Amino acid sequence: MAKIKPSKGAPYARIMGVGGYRPIRVVPNDVILETIDSSDEWIRSRSGIATRHWASDEETVTAMSLEASGKAMADAGVEPHQIGGVIVATVSHFQQTPAVATEIADRLGTIKPAAFDISAGCAGFGYALTVAKGMISDGSAEYVLVIGVERLSDLTDLEDRATAFLFGDGAGAVVVGPAQEPMIGPTVWGSEGDKSDTIKQTVPWTDYRDGTVERFPAIRQEGQAVFRWAVFEMAKVAQQALDAAGITADDLDVFIPHQANMRIIDSMVKTLKLPDHVTVARDVETTGNTSAASIPLAMERLLATGQAKSGDTALVIGFGAGLVYAATVVTLP
């Protein structure tokens, strides 16, 4: 029996650089209130969101990804020709095929990298990061570009009082490369498909195409069910990620949860009993819920504002439609 030659990959992987892009247009709650019966106070108390960014026609999924990726590669000191993989996490690129990752890879000037999209909702960045880590370790790429990008304004029903205020647009990217010590911990990830109806698209695209429905598909969710699941079940997953990395909450410097809702974030902090010294990302206040883009965008802002620093130990966790989730501990670039 022939033996397969061992891979020549690096023993470990790390995040080397991060970049973000938020659309120019800032949308305050007053704009949302033009189409739903609510109030700024109610929106802030329920979600913590004051503003969000909505993309223009020119700020496409590709365009936002290119902006974020350029910043991430510059931050990492990596040139396009060194990139061996491009992974894009998104649910709002409306061209089914080819993968938008292939267009992004070409326009960045990379040379024939592996390029593909991942559809894992708000956990997409964590899924993509885990795949990138594996590519580095098995030697199939030296550097991998991971992008989380969304134009959720295209999937928002502005007349739905439960969701109209939640979603925003943007792109975040990181470059993953080799390391000689563990700098991305084991991923705790999974799915609970029996709860898939709690967050979903209203109707299939084919219903809209065939004229079965007149309204363009949008995102719907059962707010209370999602809240309970996120607070109680995802706190357990976050703890499992800490355990898998061999650290405790006291060892953490930063907590970067998916920016879904400020109440969820605060409740998770309480459930996990995070010490006061841990910096908590609360980017949702001004960026809204950007699904797969929310973690890298929040990471970029923490580093840019000095709230977090290079070398900090951070717990990241994404969770959303599916229901799917992914959590890991990383060293910040």
Side-chain angles (χ1 to χ4, degrees), residues 122-123 190-192 194-195 198-199 222-237 258 264 268 317-326:
C122 305
S191 64
E192 296 185 36
D194 60 314
K195 301 179 179 65
T198 56
I199 307 174
E222 297 177 14
Q224 287 303 314
V226 173
F227 180 88
R228 289 192 296 270
W229 176 77
V231 170
F232 297 108
E233 297 305 318
M234 292 305 97
K236 296 176 186 176
V237 170
H258 165 48
I264 290 175
M268 289 184 71
I317 179 170
F319 45 85
L323 293 170
V324 295
Y325 56 86

Side-chain angles (χ1 to χ4, degrees), residues 246-284:
I247 67 172
T248 68
D250 289 335
D251 299 316
L252 277 181
D253 300 303
V254 184
F255 179 44
I256 310 177
H258 165 48
Q259 301 295 292
N261 179 304
M262 194 75 78
R263 291 172 62 210
I264 290 175
I265 294 170
D266 291 341
S267 294
M268 289 184 71
V269 169
K270 184 176 180 180
T271 302
L272 287 167
K273 298 179 181 179
L274 295 185
D276 291 340
H277 74 261
V278 176
T279 297
V280 179
R282 292 188 170 88
D283 191 47
V284 65

Side-chain angles (χ1 to χ4, degrees), residues 63-86:
M64 292 190 293
S65 296
L66 291 172
E67 291 286 343
S69 298
K71 294 175 182 177
M73 289 191 297
D75 190 39
V78 171
E79 298 294 328
H81 71 270
Q82 297 176 279
I83 298 293
V86 177

Side-chain angles (χ1 to χ4, degrees), residues 27-282:
V27 180
N29 288 337
D30 289 348
V31 172
I32 306 298
L33 297 175
E34 294 173 3
T35 52
I36 61 171
D37 180 16
S38 188
S39 68
D40 177 68
E41 180 183 3
W42 187 89
I43 293 174
R44 289 175 185 257
S45 65
R46 291 302 181 104
S47 68
I49 299 172
T51 61
R52 72 286 291 148
H53 295 255
W54 283 354
S56 66
D57 290 344
E58 291 74 28
E59 292 169 315
T60 63
V61 164
T62 298
M64 292 190 293
S65 296
L66 291 172
E67 291 286 343
S69 298
K71 294 175 182 177
M73 289 191 297
D75 190 39
V78 171
E79 298 294 328
H81 71 270
Q82 297 176 279
I83 298 293
V86 177
I87 309 174
V88 177
T90 186
V91 297
S92 50
H93 176 60
F94 295 146
Q95 185 171 324
Q96 191 70 37
T97 191
V100 71
T102 59
E103 178 187 1
I104 293 167
D106 177 63
R107 292 182 60 178
L108 285 171
T110 61
I111 302 174
K112 299 182 179 180
F116 53 95
D117 299 348
I118 285 180
S119 177
C122 305
F125 176 77
Y127 274 54
L129 181 65
T130 303
V131 173
K133 173 187 172 184
M135 291 171 70
I136 302 300
S137 297
D138 75 10
S140 60
E142 185 174 10
Y143 302 101
V144 179
L145 180 64
V146 173
I147 304 164
V149 57
E150 303 290 4
R151 274 182 55 118
L152 293 183
S153 58
D154 292 332
L155 283 169
T156 299
D157 180 353
L158 294 178
E159 295 179 359
D160 178 18
R161 189 172 183 270
T163 61
F165 57 89
L166 287 175
F167 303 117
D169 304 335
V174 300
V175 173
V176 182
Q180 294 304 309
E181 60 183 1
M183 299 179 80
I184 300 177
T187 300
V188 177
W189 55 353
S191 64
E192 296 185 36
D194 60 314
K195 301 179 179 65
S196 60
D197 282 347
T198 56
I199 307 174
K200 66 179 182 178
Q201 185 172 304
T202 49
V203 295
W205 301 113
T206 48
D207 284 6
Y208 183 73
R209 178 199 66 188
D210 298 340
T212 306
V213 296
E214 295 182 357
R215 295 178 73 95
F216 192 74
I219 299 173
R220 287 280 192 273
Q221 72 173 31
E222 297 177 14
Q224 287 303 314
V226 173
F227 180 88
R228 289 192 296 270
W229 176 77
V231 170
F232 297 108
E233 297 305 318
M234 292 305 97
K236 296 176 186 176
V237 170
Q239 183 60 55
Q240 289 169 14
L242 290 175
D243 295 341
I247 67 172
T248 68
D250 289 335
D251 299 316
L252 277 181
D253 300 303
V254 184
F255 179 44
I256 310 177
H258 165 48
Q259 301 295 292
N261 179 304
M262 194 75 78
R263 291 172 62 210
I264 290 175
I265 294 170
D266 291 341
S267 294
M268 289 184 71
V269 169
K270 184 176 180 180
T271 302
L272 287 167
K273 298 179 181 179
L274 295 185
D276 291 340
H277 74 261
V278 176
T279 297
V280 179
R282 292 188 170 88

